[in-house]
Each structure stands twice: as structure tokens, then as C-alpha cells.
Amino acid sequence: MNEKVTFTVDGKQLEGKQGQLLIEACEDSGIHIPRFCWHKRLDPVGMCRMCLVEIDTPRGKTLVPSCTTQVSEELSVETESDTVKKAQEGVLEFLLINHPLDCPICDKAGECPLQDQTMAYGPGESRFIEEKRHFEKPIPISDIVLLDRERCILCARCTRFSDEISGDPLIEFIQRGNKTQVNTFPDEPFKSYFSGNTVQICPVGALTATSYRFKARPWDLKKVSSTCNCCSLGCSVELNVSQNKMLRILGEDNEFTNQGWLSDKGRYNFEYLHSENRLLNIQSRENEDFQTINISDAIEKIKNKIKDLDNPDIKFIVGANSTNEEYFAINKFANSLNRNEFLSKDKSNVYFADDHIYNGYFSDEYTNATFEDLDTSDAIVVWAEDIKDNLPVLFLRIKKAVKNGVKLVVFGHTNTALESLADHYFGAEIVSNNFELKTSLSNIQELKDIIDSKKVTTIVGKSTPLQKKDSLDTLINHLQKVSDLKIFNCFSRANTFGAIQHIDQIKGLNDFCTEYEDSNKNIVFTIGANPVNSSFFGSKIKDILEDTEYVVSLDIFKNETTELADLILPTTAFGEKEGTITNMEMRVMKQNKILPDPGSTLSEWEYLIMIAQSLGKDINYDSVNQLNSELANQFTMTEALPTFDNLNKPSNLFGILNQKEINLNIKDVDQDSPSLLMVKRLYGDSSTQINSPSISMLGSERFIELSESTLDKYGIKSNVATLTQGSSSIFVNIKLNNLLPDNLVLAPINRRGFEKLDSTKDFDLKETKNMKDLSVN
Amino acid sequence: MSWETDRLEKAKQIIEMYPQKRSALGPLLYLAQDKDGYISNESIVEISGLIGITEVQVQSVASFYSMYKQEPTGKYLLSVCKSISCEISNSTDVINSVKNFTGLSNNETDDKNFFTYESVECIGACGGAPAIQVNYETIEGLTPDKAVDLCKWLKEEEPEIVVADELQDKFGGVKSFDWAIADNNGATSPVPGFQTYDTSKEKK
Amino acid sequence: MKETLLLTKHMRENPEDSHSLKSYEKNGGYKSAKKVLKSGTPEEVLQEIKDSNIRGRGGAGFPTGVKWGFLAEDEERYLVINGDESEPGTFKDRILLERDPHQLIEGMIITCFAANISKAFIYIRGEYAKPARRVQSAIEQAYEKGYLGKKIFGSSMNLDIVVHLGAGAYICGEETALLNSLEGRRGEPRLKPPFFPAVKGLYNKPTLVNNVETISSVPWIMSNSGKDYSSLGVEGSTGTRIFSLSGHINNPGNYEIEMGSSFGEFVDTLGKGVKNKAIKAYIPGGASAPWLRGDQLDVKMTIDDVANEGSMLGSGAVVMMDEDTNLVLAAKSLVSFFAHESCGQCTPCREGTTWLENILERVASGRGRLSDIDLLLDVCDNISPGLTWPPKMTTICPLGPSATASIVSLMKDFRSEVEVLLPKKVVIG
């Protein structure tokens, strides 16, 4: 129903789409109607009454709210008549009678819709001489959000967001009439992965974030667009910097990816950039200590080591946070160092530090999906790791699609957070504890009804690193056969897709461990990766790195992996380098530089090119632009190459879709049924998070998730327990999740204390009654 | 789990009556208030689990309506009407006399949790203005003196069941309309006495 | 003038037990429903209602037949009876619920037959505990006799009725706010469009929301005929209505009369006049209605006549104010009512009504300013632009404009009573 209608506004003829909201249609044509409660991405409620306009009706002119009126053929609208102006002045006067004069101390001043609209549409003076209403101000409603109820104009944007968009309505209106206030329930704080969005959409300074309070005025801020690199969704962000410090990250409305929203991790995980623990100088291990040395000495050391070892195997473990240009440089460097003169596929030596990686479905017979397909499909089928924790904004996109009628099918057991949205959740009766299918998919009638001959978008990936890929193959084969299928390969870490696009052949850490045994005289480069802490194979890798001849780590913080390095090269981080990343739609998106390189840091590619040159290799790149132009030309669609110039064009600000061949050669795992499932939570103990004070405490809780029947088997009655395995002993909170099958316990892999656990070995849960049982880690 | 078995039983019966669970929120709040004298936070947590919405959503509804009390309420809730028909019929004097006798101001409960006083909006007894409700049992046609007598009687007798007809005969005056047959059903706590919610009893 | 008893006939004649099933049936009750279910058709019922020209008795006065015609098709439809009578001055539904609940039930059976509905709710305000008990007992008696539940009167129709108590919110008398309240939400009115109850009502299904008195009239209409009903009263206000008379009057109470006589006649004959005093002003239709002066008692008690005088017949609540009434305090009481009952969704009502209350409080207690009269009227204008009749709204629902009615009346006809409270203008020199 997208027929065009023509309607008149203030005498001008405008065009809109049938069914479109009047306020939006006017906005598209450049006519701004003031508003508070209406937001493009929320359902309209018509509560603030600021958007009132006059329309002609058979009964004369009437004031209607333009946010709840749809355009229709021959609608005649006036936005500047005397009646409208009086109504606008009236509404502003009403809003201001209880609003405190906090502008001098309010974060929102300078970017405040209430200020702006009062100046533009307000009455100039208030006639209110009574007592304003008072509340205690501000009150913390969660660890990161504060609420000032005096400033609140009760537009309900925050409550509507929490209810409609994020699905965790932990804030609501209390009481009625003039006494209405927004609040939480006592002891139930606003603990949502998306609470920061309410701070951004609040039209006044009622909701503020602890990390930004009193830090800057908007006119002091330098701003640049970029793309978040917390996960592979590719949320468009605006970085706000003042005096060379990153102070705030806002979500930008990218129609293709995040549509304005961010997860709290993407929004608040930036303070680490200015942490005093940041690596600023090159550290070289002399005996037991690290000493600072300069770049030429460092390069000399590496060169000498490589020569001394006489053609060693050189292995690279790369993380997910590098840009495409950096992966391109790593690839060039790695190829140039290959033992054989000619590259043969089996000799590739780059390993990706995410255990979830496997070969995936990238060949030509599969069609890659975009997020728009979530909205236009008939059904979404999910078999992947926990989407809410690893790709939070994708959770919002799925929720939106379901709200608009798309069917959702979810396979267990790592996506229990999607169960309330799903039309069908296939748990223990269909999926074994080992993530194998217990029955043939064509036997499941509910599945047939939803997907046969329908348009299906599937989000597919390993639920857990130790899962075999057989059931995924079965699923994809079946879906490919019976439906019109589009695929999202669910690799959730930031620029995984950039890595697999630009590194000729990438392998997994499993391969790293097995291939290390066959090689000797090794040099290992770890680039932006901390496998000792975050990988399932961490302890094995630790042994390997201790055994390795020479380890060079490129990173931004000291961590468990750099502890084993012989040379640490400090690198630039998010916001300090220009580059591109590729999201899970294969959309190439721009990241921009707004901060200077701190200390003596250099970008990863700069180190590698310098080392390559010192070894006499013929690699010459003077700028990241050069890297970018060369890699852009490797893409298939020549009319849409992701060069910096192209991406900086206004029409491409939200990314360019393109194709590039992907070759993965990762051996699958072969593992028995785990009893302890290690899953990554959104908040954890990564070095970036623990060095960002505003959110560092969010990843501190130690808990396990299990069903009530499993808990009964251990004879535990309380909501705390001690998890023991070998010599490890962890005091944990118990979270009951009855969607989990019997004998399956979920534990977070990225929380302190859990890194010592081995999910293939047995463990025990003991009732804990008193403080004596607490483990002291 | 803070609710007793029979209250939970009743709750489940009530939820069955409605096509969607959330509709039972109103009655469940009355159930909570009837047993505890007010809607405690524990009850809100219980109700939130029974219906499947968050605690703050339950609180949002509970705090919207004036008959759901979230502070401990006395055994007898005295509600005096102050809307137009009662206002122009001297309800102010009745209000003052009750306030003076009980020593309470609006929405206050005394230390012994015996009386709670509140000034309320129109209770539909305009023909018998000024009017009062004791635990939502209406007595019409009061005078300031009769109102005080009523309070005294409640204090002395401490009836288990408050019956409107009985109190009207003792202390009331002009009625809005002919109440006809005397009725011995009444309320047992400061929630409306209604048999579906088990909050009414008959005085024998 | 005399009362014409249709709705209140049974209860007047059988005071001992008019609310019991036995008494109701003995006096001809449920005959209408039985006949309709046995040999009538839904179309016939709808036609009779249309022929009767009965208009909603809740306050808005919308033609009931037209409303029933709007009900959209769907498997799942509901009937909700609006028993949230909270308009100050009104107590007519109370007598219908308390003394003749079976009449309502019979009306509901016929309505549900006509609209193919099998689940109905009666929303009764929480303060009406005794009427609610009577209704619930009546429903239980009806279930026992097979007049509710499965296969009513041996026909193929099923009907379940649930009594739902409100909890002290006047705004829940607004039909969409009532549906929200019935769904277990805050009683906030919904936007119309798109949430017209006939299309998207309870649980987003087509719903009929009708007042207690309206549906209670249905059995009589079906027993006699729509035309017979329409011959009572006058054109545009057919049938009989129960008026609640209160305030400064000798004989307050509920009176059922055909519409068309004047207020003066009503007050003198049936109300037996005001206690030896003149009438200064009166409210013709509940707290939301603008006041009429004592010299306007010749206005006829019909929906259209009162509307022409710039007021409304509304819920049929007539409140008399004699010459000694302090009208400023009366206005304050009314404004304070609306401020307390505002749901808080939209800005003008939420902030404006309390502001009006505060200003009137100052004025009434002698702390008013000269500019306060204009301020009051301007604030009212920002809630109800132009202070026209029928009122325009900047708000979501008519509660906001209702709050302004008393202030506008006060300033229009009784301005001197306000001016006397304000400081004198000082002329220097």
C-alpha cells in the first residue's frame, strides 16, 4: 500500500505515502513540526500534544496531533495558524510550569528539544506563580542511568522504548494525573542491556548517564561518525570528543543496521581509551622484567630473531578488532613471510581467536542475507550462540520483525532469551545436550507449517565452540531444500567478516594447537587477541606460548596473553584509527579517527609494514588510504567499491554492500557431550571493559544457569552454590532457567574465575551455607 | 512464594475467568489487599509471577487507582465524599468532625491501624448528601454529630462485618433512593465486599 | 408531570425482593429474552433498537442502534457494560444494579444474541460493592436456571458474564480507558482512531461498550417495540430516562420520566422545589456540564435543547444550587475533582487542571490577583480552544475540557462573585 497521496500543508502541495504519519511526511518534505513524545522508531501515542496542527474536516477546522494522523488524499493542513500557535504556546507553558530551571546544571542544555522548542514556539514568559512539584533528585535507577523526576515531561519515550523495543519494561509510570512519575520497582533496577538508549531519546535531562554527567557541553564536543566494533552488527555511532578525550558515544539512525539503537556495551565501553593502564610504550622482556625500548630497536630485535632461527614457522593469532586495512596488511605480511616461495593453501599461518569460527556457508549456492530480510521474510530460523548477549541489537531487530508478524523458530539451548518471542522454541525434545538433532527436521510439523515454500532468513552458527557442525549442515540443507533461503553466518565478534574476507585463508585456534605440534622453531604474533583468557583452548595455548621461541604481542592493554610475550607493541584503538570494517551482512562500513595516537602507539599495519621492510620484503604502504584502495579493488562489484572516498559520500554514509571471496579451512571439533556449557556474556572481564569504570562492575557477577530439575539433582535448595572442578572452586549465584535441558549447566566464559574451568571435565555443585565456603579468588 | 495455598487457589480461579491473564490484575490486587490490609511489595512480586508481567508494571497499575492501598490501612476505612452535591450540602462540616474525632488528616492511618481517613470523590450517594463509606459500605444523609457517633460506635463495637443497611438505620438520614429490603451482607476489610473475591460475608 | 416507569417499574412495585430471580420472573421477566432467542433474529433485534432511536445513557448520547451497527465482524467479540458511574451527581445506575440486576442481565442476553457475542463483562466501579454483590448473586441465580452459560433457554447460544470491579478512577468511565482497565492496565484513554471499540476494543477485538441504563432498556423495547419506545419522550430524545436529582432540593432521588418537560417542572413537581429559596444556578447533566442559571429553568430536558443552551444533558444528573451557595467553592470542588481524576497522559489536562485548581484555591482563600480571572480563562482556552460549545480539545479525551466547564460558567454568569474576592483596583490620583 505505497500509493502516493498529495496533500496541502500551509498552502504548499506535498507528496506522501498512503498511511504515512503526517508529522513524518512533513518532515520528509522539510516542514518541521515540533514534538516531544513522537519518535520515528516508536509507535506514536499523541501524549505531549506539541505536534497539534489544524486540519480541515467536514465539521470545520480541528486541532489534531500530527503524529497520530495519517496523510490522505486532499488533506489540508495548517501548521502556523493562530490557533496552532496558541496551542503550541499553551503546551509549552504547561510543560514548563513544573519543569525546574536546571539548565545551568543540566547535561541536556545545548542539545535540548525543550529549550529549542521553547525558544522557537514558546510564549516567552510563564504566568505560573504556584509551587512546582518536587522529587528527590536525581535517583539512580541502575548502575549507569540516573533519573531526575522533576525534569521529566512524561513523554513516555523511555517507558515505551523499554516495553516495545527492548522488551524489558523495568521502568513505568507510577500514580496518575499531576502526580505521575517514572520509576522502577524497589530492588528491581533498570538493568537492561539497552538502558542507554533511553538516555539518548529522552527529550530533556531527566535521564542521564553516569559516564557523561557534568563532563562537557555539546558545543565543546568534536563529533565524527563511525561504526561500533563491539560486535558484527555494524551499529552506526557518533563519537563525541572534547580535549582529545572520548566522552560519549551516541547511536545514529542507520536504516540498514541498528536504526538508532545501541547496546549499553557499545555505548559505554570507551573509557578504556584513556585508562592509565593503556600500553603506551614498546615493552621488551629482559630476563623476567619488561623494559621500554624504541621502535627501531624493537624491529631490529624481531629481524634478528627471525634470522637467528633460520626460517622459522611464523604464526599469527588475530583478534576480531582490527580493521579491514589491518587484516589486509597482516595478510600481505603473512604471505611475504611464508616458508615456501609460493603460497600454497595448506601452509597458511593465520589463526582467528574466536572459538566460534568454523567453515560456515559462503559458497555461491548460498544467498547472504541483509537485516532488511528479517523484516520482509515470512520466517526467521535461529540456531546460533546467544544472540541477546553477543549481538544485542540483532535481538532488537528480530523482536521488531516478530512484532510485525514475521514468524520465529529457535533451536536451543543457547537462545532461551528468544523463547518468549518465538512461535516455536525447540528445546530438549529436539536438540540433545550435545547439540545434535534428535529427530529429522521434516518430521517436525510446526516447522513445516512455518517454513515450507516460504521466504526464510536463518541466523546460523555454532551454539558453542565444541559443537560439531553436522547439525548445522543438516539444518541448512533442509532449509535450502524446502524454502527460499537467505543466510546469516553468525560470527558475532566485531570484524570477523573483515578477517575472513581479507586474509587468504584463516584457521581456528584448534588448528593452531594441532599444527603447532608439527612445527618447530616458532615465532608467534598475537594481534589484538587474548586467547589465553578467552579461548576454550586457553590453557593449551598458554603452554604453547611459553614454549614458543619468540612471542610478539600487538595490543592495547597488558593481559594474560601479553604476559607471555617477549615483545609488546602498543597499538591504536577504536577512534584512533581510520579504516573500514565488514559487518555480518557483508556491508563495508567506515570507522573514523578523532583521537590522536596516544603515547608511542602505532597502528597494527604500521608495525607490520616496517617489520616487513626491515626483512627486505617488497611491501610499500605509506598510508592507510593506500591499503584501502588496494583492498577495495579486490571486491566483486566494481560500481560500489568500498574506498574511503566512496564511503565518505553522503549517500554511502551507512555502508556499502559488496562481495568478496571467502575461503575458510577450519577443522571441525570432535567433542563429547559437555555437561558444563561455557558461554560468553555481554559484560565480562575483557581488558576494555575492566578499564572502563562506568561499566566495569556490570561484568562482575558470577552465576550459573540451570533448570530446576538439574538443581534438584545436586540437592541444592538455596540460590547460591559452590562450583568445584579439580582445584578450582567458585562461589556462584544460581539463575533458574527451566528451558535448559536436564544436566546442562551454563557458565559464563568471560567472568573472572571461570577461565580455569574445562567444560569437558566433570564438575560438582555444592550447597553453600556460610561465609566459610566462599572461595577467595 | 509469599501467598498461602488457598489465596493462590483463589487467584488461579480468578485468572481462569478472563480470556487473558493480565485482566485478572485488578482482582488479584484486591486479594492482596484483603489479606494483608494493603498491597505489600511481596504481593506485587507474587502477582507479577502469576500474571507474567514485571513488578513495576504491576506497581504502575496498583498506584494508578485510588482504591488500591500500598500503605498499611486501618481496620475501618472511612471515606467521606467531597464532590459537588456533598460539598454544597455541608460535607465540609462532616469531614471536619470526622477528622477531629479520629485525629487524622487525609490518607492517614492511626497508630493502632484502626481507622484510616480519606476524602474521596463522588461515591454515587448524591441524593443522600453528605455521605460516607465505611469499608465501601455507604451510609447516606449524615450530619457532623451522627458521623462522630458512627465512629464512636465502630470503636466500641469493632464489628467483624460492616453492613451498610445496619449502619444506615443507626446513623443515616435521607437516602438517595429507596433501599427496599434490608441486606445483611457486608465487608470484612478495607476492600469492596464482593463474593467473587471472598471479601464479603453475611452478618447473621 | 408524572413519572413514566419502564426501567424502575418492577423495583417500585416489588420493593421486598425486586432483585431476586423469582420476583423478576413472576413479574414477566426473561419473557422478552426467551421470545427473542426462540423465534427472533439478530437483524430483527437490531432493527427494533434502531427504530427506538434510543441514545446512549452514559453521557455522550450516541444513538445505540448506530453503535451496534458499527460492530466489526470477528470470531471473538465482547460486550462490556459500563457501570463505572462516577460522574458527580449521578446515581441512577446504582439503583438499576442494586434493585433490578436481572433486567440488565436480560438486556445483555438479548444484546449478545443480536451481536453474536458469547462473553460479556460488567465493569462496576469499586465503590459500588453492594450493587456488585447483588449483580453477582443475580448472575449466579441465572446460571443455575440455565439462563446463562451453555445453550441458554435451550437455544444454541452461549453466554458467560464476568463482573469486574473498578478501583476508584473516574476516567475509567471513558470507554477506551475502561477497556484498558479491564485488560489489567492503567485506565488511560486510547487514541480514536484507530482504537474505536467497535473495531479494536477489548484485547483488540470488536467490542460493544454500553451503559447500564441503555442495556436495561432493551428488554422493554423487545417486549413492546422500538416504535413504542420511540413514541415516548420527544424526537431526538426518545424513551424514558432516570434523572438523579440532588443538591439543594427537598426531594432528592432518582426519577424516571419521559424527556421533554422543563427542568423547572421537574424540580417543582417531582423534586418538590428548593427549601424556600431561589435557585441561583443548576447543573443539568453532571459535573462535566456547564451551569445554567436560575432563570433558565424553562429549558427542556432533552439532549438537543440543553445542547442548544450551551450545556449538556450528559449523565442525567441534576444538581440544584440555591441562592446562598458559594459558587467559587462549588467551582473549586468541581475543578479539584477533575484534577484528581486526570489520568496524566496528555500535557494540557495533566498540568492544566491542577494549575486551575491551584489558582482557584488562591482566589477562594482571598489570595487571588486581579489578573487571575483572565489567567483562569486563558488556561481554560489552552485546554479547550475557543471555549466553544461543543468543546474543542487540545487533549486526548474530553476530561480536560470538562474541567473548564464550571470555570467558564462561573465567569460568564457569576463573575461578580469572583471579583469580590480579588483585591480592589487601586486608582491613584
PDB file of all heavy atoms in Angstrom, chain A residues 712-725:
ATOM      1  N   ASP A 712      17.894 -29.741  41.450  1.00  0.00           N
ATOM      2  CA  ASP A 712      17.466 -30.733  42.435  1.00  0.00           C
ATOM      3  C   ASP A 712      18.433 -31.900  42.505  1.00  0.00           C
ATOM      4  O   ASP A 712      18.691 -32.439  43.580  1.00  0.00           O
ATOM      5  CB  ASP A 712      16.073 -31.263  42.066  1.00  0.00           C
ATOM      6  CG  ASP A 712      14.996 -30.245  42.395  1.00  0.00           C
ATOM      7  OD1 ASP A 712      15.286 -29.345  43.210  1.00  0.00           O
ATOM      8  OD2 ASP A 712      13.892 -30.350  41.838  1.00  0.00           O
ATOM      9  N   LYS A 713      18.978 -32.276  41.330  1.00  0.00           N
ATOM     10  CA  LYS A 713      19.891 -33.427  41.329  1.00  0.00           C
ATOM     11  C   LYS A 713      21.097 -33.193  42.219  1.00  0.00           C
ATOM     12  O   LYS A 713      21.672 -34.107  42.777  1.00  0.00           O
ATOM     13  CB  LYS A 713      20.371 -33.716  39.899  1.00  0.00           C
ATOM     14  CG  LYS A 713      19.287 -34.247  38.997  1.00  0.00           C
ATOM     15  CD  LYS A 713      19.886 -35.079  37.856  1.00  0.00           C
ATOM     16  CE  LYS A 713      18.778 -35.693  37.030  1.00  0.00           C
ATOM     17  NZ  LYS A 713      18.296 -34.836  35.933  1.00  0.00           N
ATOM     18  N   TYR A 714      21.488 -31.911  42.327  1.00  0.00           N
ATOM     19  CA  TYR A 714      22.625 -31.617  43.198  1.00  0.00           C
ATOM     20  C   TYR A 714      22.184 -31.381  44.620  1.00  0.00           C
ATOM     21  O   TYR A 714      23.004 -31.121  45.490  1.00  0.00           O
ATOM     22  CB  TYR A 714      23.381 -30.389  42.671  1.00  0.00           C
ATOM     23  CG  TYR A 714      24.125 -30.659  41.390  1.00  0.00           C
ATOM     24  CD1 TYR A 714      23.586 -30.296  40.159  1.00  0.00           C
ATOM     25  CD2 TYR A 714      25.358 -31.304  41.400  1.00  0.00           C
ATOM     26  CE1 TYR A 714      24.260 -30.562  38.983  1.00  0.00           C
ATOM     27  CE2 TYR A 714      26.035 -31.564  40.229  1.00  0.00           C
ATOM     28  CZ  TYR A 714      25.476 -31.198  39.027  1.00  0.00           C
ATOM     29  OH  TYR A 714      26.154 -31.464  37.864  1.00  0.00           O
ATOM     30  N   GLY A 715      20.882 -31.454  44.830  1.00  0.00           N
ATOM     31  CA  GLY A 715      20.376 -31.305  46.187  1.00  0.00           C
ATOM     32  C   GLY A 715      20.532 -29.901  46.745  1.00  0.00           C
ATOM     33  O   GLY A 715      20.691 -29.723  47.943  1.00  0.00           O
ATOM     34  N   ILE A 716      20.491 -28.916  45.898  1.00  0.00           N
ATOM     35  CA  ILE A 716      20.697 -27.543  46.386  1.00  0.00           C
ATOM     36  C   ILE A 716      19.349 -26.850  46.528  1.00  0.00           C
ATOM     37  O   ILE A 716      18.534 -26.850  45.616  1.00  0.00           O
ATOM     38  CB  ILE A 716      21.593 -26.765  45.407  1.00  0.00           C
ATOM     39  CG1 ILE A 716      22.962 -27.428  45.365  1.00  0.00           C
ATOM     40  CG2 ILE A 716      21.726 -25.315  45.833  1.00  0.00           C
ATOM     41  CD1 ILE A 716      23.902 -26.782  44.407  1.00  0.00           C
ATOM     42  N   LYS A 717      19.137 -26.262  47.704  1.00  0.00           N
ATOM     43  CA  LYS A 717      17.864 -25.599  47.948  1.00  0.00           C
ATOM     44  C   LYS A 717      17.977 -24.091  47.840  1.00  0.00           C
ATOM     45  O   LYS A 717      17.013 -23.399  47.605  1.00  0.00           O
ATOM     46  CB  LYS A 717      17.353 -25.950  49.355  1.00  0.00           C
ATOM     47  CG  LYS A 717      17.160 -27.428  49.609  1.00  0.00           C
ATOM     48  CD  LYS A 717      15.792 -27.885  49.083  1.00  0.00           C
ATOM     49  CE  LYS A 717      15.547 -29.347  49.376  1.00  0.00           C
ATOM     50  NZ  LYS A 717      16.427 -30.236  48.612  1.00  0.00           N
ATOM     51  N   SER A 718      19.168 -23.564  48.060  1.00  0.00           N
ATOM     52  CA  SER A 718      19.279 -22.106  48.104  1.00  0.00           C
ATOM     53  C   SER A 718      19.597 -21.562  46.716  1.00  0.00           C
ATOM     54  O   SER A 718      19.673 -22.310  45.751  1.00  0.00           O
ATOM     55  CB  SER A 718      20.372 -21.716  49.085  1.00  0.00           C
ATOM     56  OG  SER A 718      21.593 -22.274  48.644  1.00  0.00           O
ATOM     57  N   ASN A 719      19.810 -20.249  46.649  1.00  0.00           N
ATOM     58  CA  ASN A 719      20.096 -19.653  45.349  1.00  0.00           C
ATOM     59  C   ASN A 719      21.570 -19.314  45.182  1.00  0.00           C
ATOM     60  O   ASN A 719      21.948 -18.481  44.373  1.00  0.00           O
ATOM     61  CB  ASN A 719      19.227 -18.407  45.124  1.00  0.00           C
ATOM     62  CG  ASN A 719      19.458 -17.380  46.211  1.00  0.00           C
ATOM     63  OD1 ASN A 719      20.175 -17.618  47.163  1.00  0.00           O
ATOM     64  ND2 ASN A 719      18.826 -16.239  46.050  1.00  0.00           N
ATOM     65  N   VAL A 720      22.421 -19.954  46.006  1.00  0.00           N
ATOM     66  CA  VAL A 720      23.870 -19.818  45.823  1.00  0.00           C
ATOM     67  C   VAL A 720      24.478 -21.212  45.935  1.00  0.00           C
ATOM     68  O   VAL A 720      23.893 -22.115  46.523  1.00  0.00           O
ATOM     69  CB  VAL A 720      24.516 -18.887  46.884  1.00  0.00           C
ATOM     70  CG1 VAL A 720      24.099 -17.462  46.659  1.00  0.00           C
ATOM     71  CG2 VAL A 720      24.186 -19.354  48.274  1.00  0.00           C
ATOM     72  N   ALA A 721      25.646 -21.367  45.383  1.00  0.00           N
ATOM     73  CA  ALA A 721      26.302 -22.673  45.449  1.00  0.00           C
ATOM     74  C   ALA A 721      27.788 -22.492  45.222  1.00  0.00           C
ATOM     75  O   ALA A 721      28.241 -21.404  44.863  1.00  0.00           O
ATOM     76  CB  ALA A 721      25.727 -23.606  44.380  1.00  0.00           C
ATOM     77  N   THR A 722      28.542 -23.566  45.410  1.00  0.00           N
ATOM     78  CA  THR A 722      29.964 -23.542  45.075  1.00  0.00           C
ATOM     79  C   THR A 722      30.208 -24.541  43.964  1.00  0.00           C
ATOM     80  O   THR A 722      29.826 -25.704  44.066  1.00  0.00           O
ATOM     81  CB  THR A 722      30.822 -23.915  46.299  1.00  0.00           C
ATOM     82  OG1 THR A 722      30.497 -23.037  47.351  1.00  0.00           O
ATOM     83  CG2 THR A 722      32.291 -23.780  45.971  1.00  0.00           C
ATOM     84  N   LEU A 723      30.798 -24.055  42.887  1.00  0.00           N
ATOM     85  CA  LEU A 723      31.111 -24.904  41.734  1.00  0.00           C
ATOM     86  C   LEU A 723      32.549 -25.350  41.883  1.00  0.00           C
ATOM     87  O   LEU A 723      33.439 -24.513  42.030  1.00  0.00           O
ATOM     88  CB  LEU A 723      30.923 -24.085  40.454  1.00  0.00           C
ATOM     89  CG  LEU A 723      31.218 -24.751  39.114  1.00  0.00           C
ATOM     90  CD1 LEU A 723      30.111 -25.721  38.798  1.00  0.00           C
ATOM     91  CD2 LEU A 723      31.299 -23.711  38.019  1.00  0.00           C
ATOM     92  N   THR A 724      32.776 -26.656  41.896  1.00  0.00           N
ATOM     93  CA  THR A 724      34.161 -27.123  42.054  1.00  0.00           C
ATOM     94  C   THR A 724      34.549 -28.011  40.889  1.00  0.00           C
ATOM     95  O   THR A 724      33.749 -28.813  40.394  1.00  0.00           O
ATOM     96  CB  THR A 724      34.337 -27.919  43.354  1.00  0.00           C
ATOM     97  OG1 THR A 724      33.369 -28.976  43.378  1.00  0.00           O
ATOM     98  CG2 THR A 724      34.189 -27.051  44.574  1.00  0.00           C
ATOM     99  N   GLN A 725      35.773 -27.837  40.437  1.00  0.00           N
ATOM    100  CA  GLN A 725      36.314 -28.711  39.407  1.00  0.00           C
ATOM    101  C   GLN A 725      37.801 -28.781  39.632  1.00  0.00           C
ATOM    102  O   GLN A 725      38.489 -27.770  39.536  1.00  0.00           O
ATOM    103  CB  GLN A 725      36.020 -28.154  38.005  1.00  0.00           C
ATOM    104  CG  GLN A 725      36.367 -29.121  36.886  1.00  0.00           C
ATOM    105  CD  GLN A 725      36.162 -28.498  35.517  1.00  0.00           C
ATOM    106  OE1 GLN A 725      36.876 -27.574  35.145  1.00  0.00           O
ATOM    107  NE2 GLN A 725      35.205 -28.998  34.777  1.00  0.00           N
TER     108      GLN A 725
END
